Amino acid sequence: MSQSVLNIAVIGMGGFAASHHGALLTLEKAGLCRVVATCDPFPDNFAQDACNWNFQQRGVRVFDDYLQMLDAVRDDIDAVTIPTPVPLHAAMHRACVERGLACYLEKPPTLHWRELEEMLAVEKAAKLATNVGFNFIVESARQTLKQRLLSGEFGALKRVSFLGHWPRDVEYFQRAPWAGRICMDGRPVLDSCIGNAMAHFVHNLLFWAGTRELFDWAMVSTIKAELSRAHAIENYDTLFARGTFENGVEFRIAATHAGKPPQHQREVVECEDATLTYLRNEWRIEWKSGAVESGPADSDDLLERNFAAYFAYLRGDAARPLTTLADAKPFVHLTNLAYVAAGIIETESEEYIERCDGWVAVRDIETMLEAFLKVDFGPPDASFTSAARVVELDDVLNTLLS
């Protein structure tokens, strides 16, 4: 594939698919691609959007079934983007691969380790590797800092941590039938704070901890986790987890949707000689010597840049996608092992919950998140769950639902 303008089909028109259409329209104006088809079970519901996106003038064909679309345009397109609910990903990914079509699959590819193995088996037949849309790996500042980390400039890597305070109101969990669910229609959904909204940052954490090369993500070895919910949902909205990766690097994750605005997050990389803190728009290095270094995190237009990076791979101008399906395996396993390690989801007592204007917040949750990243817990012990126990996930989920 060598042409500069790639023909694209998009599965979906609502939800995050709208962001795909907007970003692709920008890239189309820049001459990098052309959207030739899209679909939705109820396309008439998006008539105004289709008008806003100039579908008629651009010649975008609209279908009400994704398989019909793929069969109709398979010989005319180079790639398909899949910005649909996670439970639909596996079947749609398979449909694209079976038709010889390259696939840009939104994150996460799935939230169940066994389904991921099935997707990886399908992927073996792919003509071109699938890209999973974890957006932040494209940042040049992130890649440069990871290279410096790999070179040993900061000393040995000791621990990586993520703090995520991303409040979500009641309506957030009412936006779709699968929101906040563990299972639906007999299938795992596993929609959680780190499985969906903050999935990018957990993937980033694993990226920092991958020490073999630039595009490497660390696999969990041991984990201890606590899951809880303040919202009236099936799954958890707050997680505290810590453990070790296979390479010996420690990790900590403290994340919640049960707070009040504003939202904020922090990635921390602790090394022998320096500590790197990565925020949404800036990064900072504090050296043990007292020196300080800082700079901007190039976090603008991430979706457009991720599409452009995948298009470069499809044209043969880049060696690989930024995140492949196999690269997502550490993320999926970590999220699954959190359930196995915790065993239960605690429901927060009403006396510790504050409710105001649709927001549901655990009192002092930000203080608890901060403390978790700083407390000296000592080394992992026999109470930590081994990565091998991921095979117990379904039994744990059945217990949670009973």
Side-chain angles (χ1 to χ4, degrees), residues 36-291:
V36 301
T38 189
C39 61
D40 191 273
F42 306 100
D44 291 344
N45 291 347
F46 303 97
Q48 185 58 55
D49 296 293
C51 181
N52 295 340
W53 293 322
N54 300 317
F55 278 179
Q56 185 172 356
Q57 298 92 320
R58 293 162 63 200
V60 179
R61 298 174 65 185
V62 179
F63 297 79
D64 60 11
D65 181 89
Y66 81 93
L67 292 175
Q68 290 179 5
M69 179 186 75
L70 295 181
D71 288 336
V73 302
R74 61 189 296 179
D75 295 329
D76 303 318
I77 60 175
D78 301 299
V80 181
T81 78
I82 305 179
T84 60
V86 177
L88 304 179
H89 285 183
M92 291 177 172
H93 168 258
R94 177 185 289 274
C96 291
V97 172
E98 288 177 344
R99 290 162 176 77
L101 299 170
C103 178
Y104 183 105
L105 183 63
E106 262 308 325
K107 63 79 188 164
T110 173
L111 284 165
H112 194 290
W113 69 273
R114 189 177 293 110
E115 184 170 67
L116 180 62
E117 292 301 320
E118 294 168 357
M119 294 175 73
L120 287 170
V122 170
E123 182 77 354
K124 290 179 180 178
K127 295 180 179 179
L128 291 160
T130 295
N131 183 92
V132 181
F134 285 104
N135 283 347
F136 292 92
I137 305 304
V138 75
E139 294 173 332
S140 57
R142 184 180 300 276
Q143 292 188 29
T144 298
L145 290 166
K146 172 82 180 275
Q147 290 283 25
R148 293 175 65 182
L149 178 66
L150 293 174
S151 74
E153 181 180 348
F154 308 135
L157 177 59
K158 299 296 185 182
R159 180 193 296 162
V160 294
S161 303
F162 169 66
L163 183 152
H165 177 259
W166 273 39
R168 292 295 182 265
D169 61 11
V170 172
E171 290 186 0
Y172 174 81
F173 294 103
Q174 298 173 343
R175 74 193 190 283
W178 49 264
R181 297 291 298 275
I182 295 176
C183 290
M184 190 173 70
D185 300 329
R187 294 192 57 207
V189 176
L190 306 180
D191 179 61
S192 70
C193 57
I194 66 165
N196 192 348
M198 289 182 275
H200 290 294
F201 302 109
V202 176
H203 185 67
N204 292 348
L205 198 73
L206 300 166
F207 178 72
W208 293 122
T211 52
R212 293 176 298 185
E213 59 186 357
L214 176 61
F215 294 108
D216 180 38
W217 287 259
M219 284 287 287
V220 171
S221 176
T222 64
I223 183 173
K224 178 178 284 189
E226 295 181 4
L227 313 178
S228 63
R229 58 186 161 230
H231 286 270
I233 58 175
E234 189 174 73
N235 209 352
Y236 66 89
D237 56 31
T238 301
L239 169 140
F240 293 92
R242 62 189 180 99
T244 58
F245 295 119
E246 290 179 347
N247 58 12
V249 175
E250 296 182 20
F251 71 87
R252 293 188 187 181
I253 302 172
T256 190
H257 283 330
K260 292 182 290 188
Q263 73 178 34
H264 58 88
Q265 73 281 327
R266 182 169 78 244
E267 302 166 45
V268 182
V269 182
E270 299 175 62
C271 300
E272 196 170 41
D273 300 323
T275 296
L276 164 65
T277 301
Y278 204 99
L279 305 174
R280 184 64 181 264
N281 296 311
E282 63 178 338
W283 55 266
R284 179 182 178 89
I285 299 171
E286 298 176 270
W287 295 85
K288 294 290 177 63
S289 65

